Amino acid sequence: MAKKEELIDFEAELENFQPSLDINGVGEAIVRQDLTDMSDIMLEIMKQMKNG
């Protein structure tokens, strides 16, 4: 006898969904890292221009 498959109630799942706190902070960390990288690049360019 085949087992009856139950469908997921997406509406109920969405109502119960709570985003992970770790994931929410990732975007800010990535942006900060990118800004640090860009500032490092700019500092290096300025240093090279100064030293000729």
Side-chain angles (χ1 to χ4, degrees):
M1 189 165 153
K3 181 179 177 183
K4 181 180 177 183
E5 293 184 27
E6 293 185 32
L7 298 177
I8 295 173
D9 183 354
F10 287 103
E11 296 298 323
E13 292 295 327
L14 287 173
E15 288 175 10
N16 295 327
F17 176 75
Q18 295 181 359
S20 170
L21 295 176
D22 294 335
I23 292 174
N24 288 335
V26 169
E28 292 176 21
I30 291 171
V31 169
R32 274 190 242 121
Q33 182 64 38
D34 288 345
L35 291 176
T36 300
D37 291 343
M38 286 302 295
S39 63
D40 290 341
I41 292 169
M42 292 301 295
L43 288 172
E44 184 63 30
I45 291 170
M46 292 170 60
K47 184 173 149 183
Q48 288 177 4
M49 289 175 67
K50 182 178 177 182
N51 293 333

mmCIF file of all heavy atoms in Angstrom:
data_model
loop_
_atom_site.group_PDB
_atom_site.id
_atom_site.type_symbol
_atom_site.label_atom_id
_atom_site.label_comp_id
_atom_site.label_asym_id
_atom_site.label_seq_id
_atom_site.Cartn_x
_atom_site.Cartn_y
_atom_site.Cartn_z
ATOM 1 N N MET A 1 0.838 -1.183 0.000
ATOM 2 C CA MET A 1 0.000 0.000 0.000
ATOM 3 C C MET A 1 0.882 1.245 0.000
ATOM 4 O O MET A 1 1.820 1.355 0.770
ATOM 5 C CB MET A 1 -0.891 -0.028 1.248
ATOM 6 C CG MET A 1 -1.929 1.019 1.246
ATOM 7 S SD MET A 1 -3.140 0.597 2.524
ATOM 8 C CE MET A 1 -3.722 2.176 2.892
ATOM 9 N N ALA A 2 0.603 2.194 -0.886
ATOM 10 C CA ALA A 2 1.412 3.401 -1.025
ATOM 11 C C ALA A 2 1.149 4.359 0.133
ATOM 12 O O ALA A 2 0.009 4.528 0.574
ATOM 13 C CB ALA A 2 1.097 4.081 -2.345
ATOM 14 N N LYS A 3 2.229 4.969 0.600
ATOM 15 C CA LYS A 3 2.123 5.947 1.683
ATOM 16 C C LYS A 3 1.627 7.271 1.098
ATOM 17 O O LYS A 3 2.103 7.719 0.058
ATOM 18 C CB LYS A 3 3.498 6.135 2.314
ATOM 19 C CG LYS A 3 3.500 7.104 3.462
ATOM 20 C CD LYS A 3 4.903 7.216 4.052
ATOM 21 C CE LYS A 3 4.899 8.248 5.147
ATOM 22 N NZ LYS A 3 6.225 8.449 5.705
ATOM 23 N N LYS A 4 0.661 7.889 1.743
ATOM 24 C CA LYS A 4 0.114 9.163 1.279
ATOM 25 C C LYS A 4 1.126 10.277 1.558
ATOM 26 O O LYS A 4 1.605 10.422 2.670
ATOM 27 C CB LYS A 4 -1.207 9.466 1.985
ATOM 28 C CG LYS A 4 -1.847 10.744 1.534
ATOM 29 C CD LYS A 4 -3.145 11.016 2.261
ATOM 30 C CE LYS A 4 -3.706 12.345 1.832
ATOM 31 N NZ LYS A 4 -4.915 12.686 2.555
ATOM 32 N N GLU A 5 1.477 11.031 0.512
ATOM 33 C CA GLU A 5 2.424 12.135 0.665
ATOM 34 C C GLU A 5 1.670 13.381 1.108
ATOM 35 O O GLU A 5 0.620 13.707 0.576
ATOM 36 C CB GLU A 5 3.134 12.412 -0.656
ATOM 37 C CG GLU A 5 4.041 11.286 -1.083
ATOM 38 C CD GLU A 5 4.798 11.631 -2.346
ATOM 39 O OE1 GLU A 5 5.027 12.828 -2.607
ATOM 40 O OE2 GLU A 5 5.157 10.688 -3.061
ATOM 41 N N GLU A 6 2.243 14.078 2.087
ATOM 42 C CA GLU A 6 1.643 15.316 2.558
ATOM 43 C C GLU A 6 2.367 16.489 1.926
ATOM 44 O O GLU A 6 3.579 16.509 1.836
ATOM 45 C CB GLU A 6 1.748 15.403 4.080
ATOM 46 C CG GLU A 6 0.899 14.355 4.787
ATOM 47 C CD GLU A 6 0.928 14.542 6.288
ATOM 48 O OE1 GLU A 6 1.036 15.695 6.741
ATOM 49 O OE2 GLU A 6 0.844 13.535 6.985
ATOM 50 N N LEU A 7 1.603 17.470 1.485
ATOM 51 C CA LEU A 7 2.174 18.658 0.882
ATOM 52 C C LEU A 7 2.543 19.657 1.970
ATOM 53 O O LEU A 7 1.922 19.716 3.024
ATOM 54 C CB LEU A 7 1.186 19.290 -0.095
ATOM 55 C CG LEU A 7 0.770 18.430 -1.285
ATOM 56 C CD1 LEU A 7 -0.256 19.157 -2.133
ATOM 57 C CD2 LEU A 7 1.988 18.064 -2.129
ATOM 58 N N ILE A 8 3.543 20.464 1.682
ATOM 59 C CA ILE A 8 3.966 21.494 2.621
ATOM 60 C C ILE A 8 2.979 22.652 2.558
ATOM 61 O O ILE A 8 2.601 23.112 1.481
ATOM 62 C CB ILE A 8 5.373 21.996 2.253
ATOM 63 C CG1 ILE A 8 6.384 20.873 2.412
ATOM 64 C CG2 ILE A 8 5.765 23.186 3.112
ATOM 65 C CD1 ILE A 8 7.771 21.230 1.910
ATOM 66 N N ASP A 9 2.579 23.146 3.718
ATOM 67 C CA ASP A 9 1.706 24.320 3.802
ATOM 68 C C ASP A 9 2.615 25.553 3.814
ATOM 69 O O ASP A 9 3.122 25.969 4.852
ATOM 70 C CB ASP A 9 0.850 24.258 5.061
ATOM 71 C CG ASP A 9 -0.119 25.417 5.162
ATOM 72 O OD1 ASP A 9 -0.062 26.336 4.323
ATOM 73 O OD2 ASP A 9 -0.944 25.395 6.093
ATOM 74 N N PHE A 10 2.854 26.114 2.628
ATOM 75 C CA PHE A 10 3.792 27.218 2.512
ATOM 76 C C PHE A 10 3.351 28.448 3.301
ATOM 77 O O PHE A 10 4.177 29.159 3.854
ATOM 78 C CB PHE A 10 4.013 27.586 1.041
ATOM 79 C CG PHE A 10 4.846 26.580 0.315
ATOM 80 C CD1 PHE A 10 4.270 25.672 -0.548
ATOM 81 C CD2 PHE A 10 6.219 26.534 0.503
ATOM 82 C CE1 PHE A 10 5.043 24.739 -1.212
ATOM 83 C CE2 PHE A 10 7.005 25.609 -0.158
ATOM 84 C CZ PHE A 10 6.412 24.705 -1.020
ATOM 85 N N GLU A 11 2.066 28.721 3.356
ATOM 86 C CA GLU A 11 1.571 29.870 4.109
ATOM 87 C C GLU A 11 1.924 29.736 5.586
ATOM 88 O O GLU A 11 2.401 30.680 6.221
ATOM 89 C CB GLU A 11 0.053 30.030 3.932
ATOM 90 C CG GLU A 11 -0.381 30.335 2.505
ATOM 91 C CD GLU A 11 0.171 31.648 1.998
ATOM 92 O OE1 GLU A 11 0.272 32.616 2.777
ATOM 93 O OE2 GLU A 11 0.515 31.704 0.800
ATOM 94 N N ALA A 12 1.720 28.555 6.142
ATOM 95 C CA ALA A 12 2.053 28.317 7.550
ATOM 96 C C ALA A 12 3.559 28.407 7.769
ATOM 97 O O ALA A 12 4.029 28.961 8.769
ATOM 98 C CB ALA A 12 1.536 26.953 7.996
ATOM 99 N N GLU A 13 4.341 27.883 6.829
ATOM 100 C CA GLU A 13 5.797 27.945 6.935
ATOM 101 C C GLU A 13 6.277 29.397 6.920
ATOM 102 O O GLU A 13 7.158 29.775 7.694
ATOM 103 C CB GLU A 13 6.467 27.153 5.809
ATOM 104 C CG GLU A 13 6.262 25.657 5.899
ATOM 105 C CD GLU A 13 6.921 25.040 7.117
ATOM 106 O OE1 GLU A 13 7.981 25.523 7.554
ATOM 107 O OE2 GLU A 13 6.368 24.058 7.635
ATOM 108 N N LEU A 14 5.699 30.214 6.046
ATOM 109 C CA LEU A 14 6.088 31.620 5.976
ATOM 110 C C LEU A 14 5.720 32.373 7.250
ATOM 111 O O LEU A 14 6.467 33.234 7.707
ATOM 112 C CB LEU A 14 5.451 32.291 4.764
ATOM 113 C CG LEU A 14 6.048 31.901 3.412
ATOM 114 C CD1 LEU A 14 5.223 32.499 2.285
ATOM 115 C CD2 LEU A 14 7.494 32.337 3.303
ATOM 116 N N GLU A 15 4.583 32.057 7.827
ATOM 117 C CA GLU A 15 4.167 32.706 9.069
ATOM 118 C C GLU A 15 5.123 32.366 10.205
ATOM 119 O O GLU A 15 5.382 33.199 11.075
ATOM 120 C CB GLU A 15 2.749 32.278 9.441
ATOM 121 C CG GLU A 15 1.680 32.874 8.554
ATOM 122 C CD GLU A 15 0.289 32.340 8.875
ATOM 123 O OE1 GLU A 15 0.114 31.652 9.893
ATOM 124 O OE2 GLU A 15 -0.633 32.633 8.084
ATOM 125 N N ASN A 16 5.665 31.162 10.208
ATOM 126 C CA ASN A 16 6.552 30.717 11.286
ATOM 127 C C ASN A 16 8.020 31.040 11.024
ATOM 128 O O ASN A 16 8.860 30.845 11.901
ATOM 129 C CB ASN A 16 6.410 29.206 11.492
ATOM 130 C CG ASN A 16 5.028 28.833 11.989
ATOM 131 O OD1 ASN A 16 4.402 29.580 12.716
ATOM 132 N ND2 ASN A 16 4.547 27.683 11.577
ATOM 133 N N PHE A 17 8.348 31.552 9.837
ATOM 134 C CA PHE A 17 9.735 31.802 9.462
ATOM 135 C C PHE A 17 10.353 32.909 10.300
ATOM 136 O O PHE A 17 9.763 33.960 10.497
ATOM 137 C CB PHE A 17 9.826 32.179 7.979
ATOM 138 C CG PHE A 17 11.221 32.534 7.551
ATOM 139 C CD1 PHE A 17 12.159 31.545 7.365
ATOM 140 C CD2 PHE A 17 11.575 33.852 7.363
ATOM 141 C CE1 PHE A 17 13.460 31.871 6.980
ATOM 142 C CE2 PHE A 17 12.860 34.187 6.974
ATOM 143 C CZ PHE A 17 13.799 33.195 6.783
ATOM 144 N N GLN A 18 11.548 32.642 10.825
ATOM 145 C CA GLN A 18 12.325 33.651 11.540
ATOM 146 C C GLN A 18 13.745 33.607 10.983
ATOM 147 O O GLN A 18 14.408 32.573 11.077
ATOM 148 C CB GLN A 18 12.338 33.364 13.038
ATOM 149 C CG GLN A 18 10.978 33.471 13.680
ATOM 150 C CD GLN A 18 11.033 33.196 15.169
ATOM 151 O OE1 GLN A 18 12.079 32.908 15.711
ATOM 152 N NE2 GLN A 18 9.897 33.284 15.812
ATOM 153 N N PRO A 19 14.214 34.719 10.396
ATOM 154 C CA PRO A 19 15.558 34.708 9.807
ATOM 155 C C PRO A 19 16.628 34.528 10.880
ATOM 156 O O PRO A 19 16.456 34.945 12.026
ATOM 157 C CB PRO A 19 15.683 36.069 9.133
ATOM 158 C CG PRO A 19 14.641 36.913 9.765
ATOM 159 C CD PRO A 19 13.557 35.999 10.251
ATOM 160 N N SER A 20 17.697 33.913 10.496
ATOM 161 C CA SER A 20 18.817 33.699 11.398
ATOM 162 C C SER A 20 19.496 35.030 11.693
ATOM 163 O O SER A 20 19.727 35.834 10.803
ATOM 164 C CB SER A 20 19.814 32.738 10.761
ATOM 165 O OG SER A 20 20.991 32.691 11.513
ATOM 166 N N LEU A 21 19.837 35.264 12.941
ATOM 167 C CA LEU A 21 20.512 36.501 13.310
ATOM 168 C C LEU A 21 21.898 36.568 12.670
ATOM 169 O O LEU A 21 22.369 37.634 12.308
ATOM 170 C CB LEU A 21 20.632 36.597 14.826
ATOM 171 C CG LEU A 21 19.311 36.709 15.585
ATOM 172 C CD1 LEU A 21 19.566 36.699 17.085
ATOM 173 C CD2 LEU A 21 18.569 37.967 15.190
ATOM 174 N N ASP A 22 22.542 35.433 12.513
ATOM 175 C CA ASP A 22 23.864 35.405 11.901
ATOM 176 C C ASP A 22 23.810 35.873 10.462
ATOM 177 O O ASP A 22 24.686 36.599 10.009
ATOM 178 C CB ASP A 22 24.458 33.997 11.953
ATOM 179 C CG ASP A 22 24.754 33.547 13.366
ATOM 180 O OD1 ASP A 22 24.955 34.425 14.230
ATOM 181 O OD2 ASP A 22 24.778 32.340 13.609
ATOM 182 N N ILE A 23 22.787 35.484 9.748
ATOM 183 C CA ILE A 23 22.670 35.846 8.333
ATOM 184 C C ILE A 23 22.410 37.341 8.180
ATOM 185 O O ILE A 23 22.927 37.970 7.263
ATOM 186 C CB ILE A 23 21.564 35.009 7.650
ATOM 187 C CG1 ILE A 23 22.009 33.554 7.574
ATOM 188 C CG2 ILE A 23 21.248 35.550 6.266
ATOM 189 C CD1 ILE A 23 20.962 32.613 7.057
ATOM 190 N N ASN A 24 21.656 37.934 9.089
ATOM 191 C CA ASN A 24 21.351 39.361 8.974
ATOM 192 C C ASN A 24 22.605 40.215 9.055
ATOM 193 O O ASN A 24 22.687 41.255 8.422
ATOM 194 C CB ASN A 24 20.364 39.781 10.066
ATOM 195 C CG ASN A 24 18.981 39.255 9.815
ATOM 196 O OD1 ASN A 24 18.618 38.979 8.690
ATOM 197 N ND2 ASN A 24 18.205 39.105 10.870
ATOM 198 N N GLY A 25 23.591 39.815 9.822
ATOM 199 C CA GLY A 25 24.811 40.596 9.970
ATOM 200 C C GLY A 25 25.824 40.372 8.875
ATOM 201 O O GLY A 25 26.788 41.123 8.758
ATOM 202 N N VAL A 26 25.623 39.385 8.054
ATOM 203 C CA VAL A 26 26.597 39.061 7.014
ATOM 204 C C VAL A 26 26.729 40.190 6.001
ATOM 205 O O VAL A 26 27.836 40.553 5.611
ATOM 206 C CB VAL A 26 26.222 37.732 6.310
ATOM 207 C CG1 VAL A 26 27.052 37.520 5.064
ATOM 208 C CG2 VAL A 26 26.393 36.572 7.257
ATOM 209 N N GLY A 27 25.620 40.759 5.576
ATOM 210 C CA GLY A 27 25.660 41.833 4.588
ATOM 211 C C GLY A 27 26.493 43.009 5.060
ATOM 212 O O GLY A 27 27.311 43.546 4.313
ATOM 213 N N GLU A 28 26.319 43.412 6.311
ATOM 214 C CA GLU A 28 27.095 44.518 6.856
ATOM 215 C C GLU A 28 28.577 44.172 6.912
ATOM 216 O O GLU A 28 29.426 44.999 6.604
ATOM 217 C CB GLU A 28 26.584 44.872 8.247
ATOM 218 C CG GLU A 28 25.198 45.475 8.244
ATOM 219 C CD GLU A 28 24.679 45.719 9.651
ATOM 220 O OE1 GLU A 28 25.502 45.802 10.579
ATOM 221 O OE2 GLU A 28 23.456 45.815 9.803
ATOM 222 N N ALA A 29 28.893 42.953 7.305
ATOM 223 C CA ALA A 29 30.288 42.525 7.378
ATOM 224 C C ALA A 29 30.932 42.526 6.003
ATOM 225 O O ALA A 29 32.079 42.938 5.843
ATOM 226 C CB ALA A 29 30.386 41.144 8.010
ATOM 227 N N ILE A 30 30.197 42.104 4.983
ATOM 228 C CA ILE A 30 30.727 42.076 3.616
ATOM 229 C C ILE A 30 30.991 43.498 3.139
ATOM 230 O O ILE A 30 32.039 43.780 2.567
ATOM 231 C CB ILE A 30 29.762 41.342 2.664
ATOM 232 C CG1 ILE A 30 29.750 39.847 2.999
ATOM 233 C CG2 ILE A 30 30.146 41.581 1.207
ATOM 234 C CD1 ILE A 30 28.684 39.058 2.277
ATOM 235 N N VAL A 31 30.066 44.395 3.391
ATOM 236 C CA VAL A 31 30.239 45.785 2.969
ATOM 237 C C VAL A 31 31.448 46.392 3.663
ATOM 238 O O VAL A 31 32.278 47.046 3.041
ATOM 239 C CB VAL A 31 28.967 46.617 3.253
ATOM 240 C CG1 VAL A 31 29.237 48.099 3.075
ATOM 241 C CG2 VAL A 31 27.842 46.175 2.342
ATOM 242 N N ARG A 32 31.579 46.162 4.968
ATOM 243 C CA ARG A 32 32.725 46.695 5.700
ATOM 244 C C ARG A 32 34.030 46.131 5.148
ATOM 245 O O ARG A 32 35.006 46.841 5.011
ATOM 246 C CB ARG A 32 32.609 46.382 7.193
ATOM 247 C CG ARG A 32 31.789 47.419 7.923
ATOM 248 C CD ARG A 32 31.875 47.232 9.425
ATOM 249 N NE ARG A 32 30.517 46.950 9.861
ATOM 250 C CZ ARG A 32 30.118 45.876 10.476
ATOM 251 N NH1 ARG A 32 30.971 44.954 10.819
ATOM 252 N NH2 ARG A 32 28.865 45.701 10.804
ATOM 253 N N GLN A 33 34.051 44.859 4.837
ATOM 254 C CA GLN A 33 35.252 44.229 4.286
ATOM 255 C C GLN A 33 35.591 44.832 2.933
ATOM 256 O O GLN A 33 36.743 45.122 2.651
ATOM 257 C CB GLN A 33 35.058 42.711 4.163
ATOM 258 C CG GLN A 33 36.278 41.975 3.655
ATOM 259 C CD GLN A 33 37.468 42.067 4.573
ATOM 260 O OE1 GLN A 33 37.318 42.025 5.781
ATOM 261 N NE2 GLN A 33 38.648 42.226 4.019
ATOM 262 N N ASP A 34 34.592 45.038 2.084
ATOM 263 C CA ASP A 34 34.817 45.635 0.772
ATOM 264 C C ASP A 34 35.360 47.054 0.911
ATOM 265 O O ASP A 34 36.253 47.459 0.178
ATOM 266 C CB ASP A 34 33.533 45.648 -0.058
ATOM 267 C CG ASP A 34 33.140 44.259 -0.543
ATOM 268 O OD1 ASP A 34 33.986 43.353 -0.493
ATOM 269 O OD2 ASP A 34 31.987 44.103 -0.972
ATOM 270 N N LEU A 35 34.823 47.834 1.850
ATOM 271 C CA LEU A 35 35.300 49.195 2.055
ATOM 272 C C LEU A 35 36.738 49.189 2.539
ATOM 273 O O LEU A 35 37.551 50.005 2.124
ATOM 274 C CB LEU A 35 34.399 49.935 3.046
ATOM 275 C CG LEU A 35 32.991 50.250 2.544
ATOM 276 C CD1 LEU A 35 32.168 50.886 3.658
ATOM 277 C CD2 LEU A 35 33.044 51.161 1.338
ATOM 278 N N THR A 36 37.059 48.259 3.406
ATOM 279 C CA THR A 36 38.436 48.147 3.878
ATOM 280 C C THR A 36 39.356 47.826 2.708
ATOM 281 O O THR A 36 40.422 48.412 2.570
ATOM 282 C CB THR A 36 38.551 47.058 4.961
ATOM 283 O OG1 THR A 36 37.701 47.402 6.043
ATOM 284 C CG2 THR A 36 39.967 46.900 5.446
ATOM 285 N N ASP A 37 38.942 46.918 1.857
ATOM 286 C CA ASP A 37 39.749 46.557 0.698
ATOM 287 C C ASP A 37 39.958 47.754 -0.222
ATOM 288 O O ASP A 37 41.068 47.992 -0.693
ATOM 289 C CB ASP A 37 39.100 45.412 -0.085
ATOM 290 C CG ASP A 37 39.141 44.100 0.677
ATOM 291 O OD1 ASP A 37 39.926 43.983 1.631
ATOM 292 O OD2 ASP A 37 38.375 43.202 0.312
ATOM 293 N N MET A 38 38.907 48.516 -0.467
ATOM 294 C CA MET A 38 39.018 49.681 -1.349
ATOM 295 C C MET A 38 39.924 50.735 -0.718
ATOM 296 O O MET A 38 40.736 51.356 -1.407
ATOM 297 C CB MET A 38 37.638 50.276 -1.638
ATOM 298 C CG MET A 38 36.819 49.443 -2.610
ATOM 299 S SD MET A 38 37.646 49.212 -4.191
ATOM 300 C CE MET A 38 37.694 50.880 -4.789
ATOM 301 N N SER A 39 39.810 50.941 0.579
ATOM 302 C CA SER A 39 40.671 51.937 1.224
ATOM 303 C C SER A 39 42.120 51.480 1.194
ATOM 304 O O SER A 39 43.031 52.296 1.011
ATOM 305 C CB SER A 39 40.210 52.228 2.652
ATOM 306 O OG SER A 39 40.314 51.079 3.451
ATOM 307 N N ASP A 40 42.367 50.188 1.353
ATOM 308 C CA ASP A 40 43.728 49.659 1.250
ATOM 309 C C ASP A 40 44.300 49.892 -0.140
ATOM 310 O O ASP A 40 45.461 50.274 -0.280
ATOM 311 C CB ASP A 40 43.754 48.156 1.574
ATOM 312 C CG ASP A 40 43.489 47.857 3.036
ATOM 313 O OD1 ASP A 40 43.631 48.782 3.869
ATOM 314 O OD2 ASP A 40 43.142 46.705 3.330
ATOM 315 N N ILE A 41 43.488 49.687 -1.164
ATOM 316 C CA ILE A 41 43.928 49.905 -2.544
ATOM 317 C C ILE A 41 44.253 51.377 -2.767
ATOM 318 O O ILE A 41 45.291 51.722 -3.343
ATOM 319 C CB ILE A 41 42.863 49.418 -3.550
ATOM 320 C CG1 ILE A 41 42.759 47.890 -3.490
ATOM 321 C CG2 ILE A 41 43.185 49.896 -4.963
ATOM 322 C CD1 ILE A 41 41.564 47.329 -4.230
ATOM 323 N N MET A 42 43.368 52.251 -2.293
ATOM 324 C CA MET A 42 43.593 53.692 -2.473
ATOM 325 C C MET A 42 44.852 54.140 -1.743
ATOM 326 O O MET A 42 45.634 54.941 -2.267
ATOM 327 C CB MET A 42 42.374 54.488 -1.985
ATOM 328 C CG MET A 42 41.140 54.287 -2.841
ATOM 329 S SD MET A 42 41.393 54.745 -4.562
ATOM 330 C CE MET A 42 41.662 56.492 -4.408
ATOM 331 N N LEU A 43 45.072 53.648 -0.535
ATOM 332 C CA LEU A 43 46.278 54.000 0.210
ATOM 333 C C LEU A 43 47.527 53.535 -0.523
ATOM 334 O O LEU A 43 48.532 54.252 -0.575
ATOM 335 C CB LEU A 43 46.234 53.409 1.621
ATOM 336 C CG LEU A 43 45.252 54.059 2.582
ATOM 337 C CD1 LEU A 43 45.156 53.252 3.872
ATOM 338 C CD2 LEU A 43 45.679 55.489 2.877
ATOM 339 N N GLU A 44 47.482 52.348 -1.103
ATOM 340 C CA GLU A 44 48.620 51.821 -1.848
ATOM 341 C C GLU A 44 48.896 52.662 -3.094
ATOM 342 O O GLU A 44 50.043 52.980 -3.404
ATOM 343 C CB GLU A 44 48.383 50.359 -2.229
ATOM 344 C CG GLU A 44 49.537 49.707 -2.928
ATOM 345 C CD GLU A 44 50.796 49.619 -2.098
ATOM 346 O OE1 GLU A 44 50.702 49.534 -0.850
ATOM 347 O OE2 GLU A 44 51.886 49.641 -2.696
ATOM 348 N N ILE A 45 47.858 53.058 -3.804
ATOM 349 C CA ILE A 45 48.021 53.910 -4.993
ATOM 350 C C ILE A 45 48.622 55.249 -4.604
ATOM 351 O O ILE A 45 49.554 55.744 -5.254
ATOM 352 C CB ILE A 45 46.672 54.096 -5.729
ATOM 353 C CG1 ILE A 45 46.238 52.777 -6.365
ATOM 354 C CG2 ILE A 45 46.766 55.211 -6.778
ATOM 355 C CD1 ILE A 45 44.824 52.804 -6.910
ATOM 356 N N MET A 46 48.117 55.832 -3.528
ATOM 357 C CA MET A 46 48.640 57.121 -3.079
ATOM 358 C C MET A 46 50.108 56.992 -2.661
ATOM 359 O O MET A 46 50.921 57.879 -2.946
ATOM 360 C CB MET A 46 47.783 57.674 -1.939
ATOM 361 C CG MET A 46 46.393 58.083 -2.386
ATOM 362 S SD MET A 46 45.269 58.458 -1.059
ATOM 363 C CE MET A 46 46.099 59.815 -0.248
ATOM 364 N N LYS A 47 50.437 55.902 -2.003
ATOM 365 C CA LYS A 47 51.812 55.661 -1.568
ATOM 366 C C LYS A 47 52.728 55.524 -2.787
ATOM 367 O O LYS A 47 53.826 56.105 -2.815
ATOM 368 C CB LYS A 47 51.847 54.378 -0.725
ATOM 369 C CG LYS A 47 53.162 54.040 -0.118
ATOM 370 C CD LYS A 47 52.960 52.848 0.815
ATOM 371 C CE LYS A 47 54.192 51.987 0.873
ATOM 372 N NZ LYS A 47 53.974 50.807 1.717
ATOM 373 N N GLN A 48 52.277 54.797 -3.810
ATOM 374 C CA GLN A 48 53.079 54.628 -5.015
ATOM 375 C C GLN A 48 53.257 55.945 -5.754
ATOM 376 O O GLN A 48 54.338 56.234 -6.289
ATOM 377 C CB GLN A 48 52.437 53.576 -5.942
ATOM 378 C CG GLN A 48 52.564 52.173 -5.414
ATOM 379 C CD GLN A 48 51.865 51.158 -6.310
ATOM 380 O OE1 GLN A 48 51.342 51.484 -7.367
ATOM 381 N NE2 GLN A 48 51.857 49.894 -5.862
ATOM 382 N N MET A 49 52.211 56.766 -5.803
ATOM 383 C CA MET A 49 52.300 58.061 -6.475
ATOM 384 C C MET A 49 53.272 58.976 -5.755
ATOM 385 O O MET A 49 54.025 59.719 -6.378
ATOM 386 C CB MET A 49 50.909 58.695 -6.561
ATOM 387 C CG MET A 49 49.977 57.993 -7.536
ATOM 388 S SD MET A 49 48.306 58.644 -7.519
ATOM 389 C CE MET A 49 48.557 60.271 -8.183
ATOM 390 N N LYS A 50 53.258 58.912 -4.434
ATOM 391 C CA LYS A 50 54.141 59.761 -3.621
ATOM 392 C C LYS A 50 55.608 59.351 -3.819
ATOM 393 O O LYS A 50 56.485 60.210 -3.907
ATOM 394 C CB LYS A 50 53.747 59.647 -2.150
ATOM 395 C CG LYS A 50 54.557 60.520 -1.240
ATOM 396 C CD LYS A 50 54.091 60.393 0.191
ATOM 397 C CE LYS A 50 54.970 61.236 1.113
ATOM 398 N NZ LYS A 50 54.556 61.080 2.501
ATOM 399 N N ASN A 51 55.856 58.052 -3.899
ATOM 400 C CA ASN A 51 57.215 57.541 -4.035
ATOM 401 C C ASN A 51 57.714 57.547 -5.472
ATOM 402 O O ASN A 51 58.863 57.234 -5.727
ATOM 403 C CB ASN A 51 57.332 56.143 -3.431
ATOM 404 C CG ASN A 51 57.151 56.143 -1.923
ATOM 405 O OD1 ASN A 51 57.417 57.146 -1.262
ATOM 406 N ND2 ASN A 51 56.699 55.046 -1.371
ATOM 407 N N GLY A 52 56.855 57.874 -6.382
ATOM 408 C CA GLY A 52 57.228 58.078 -7.762
ATOM 409 C C GLY A 52 57.298 56.876 -8.597
ATOM 410 O O GLY A 52 57.807 56.674 -9.570
#
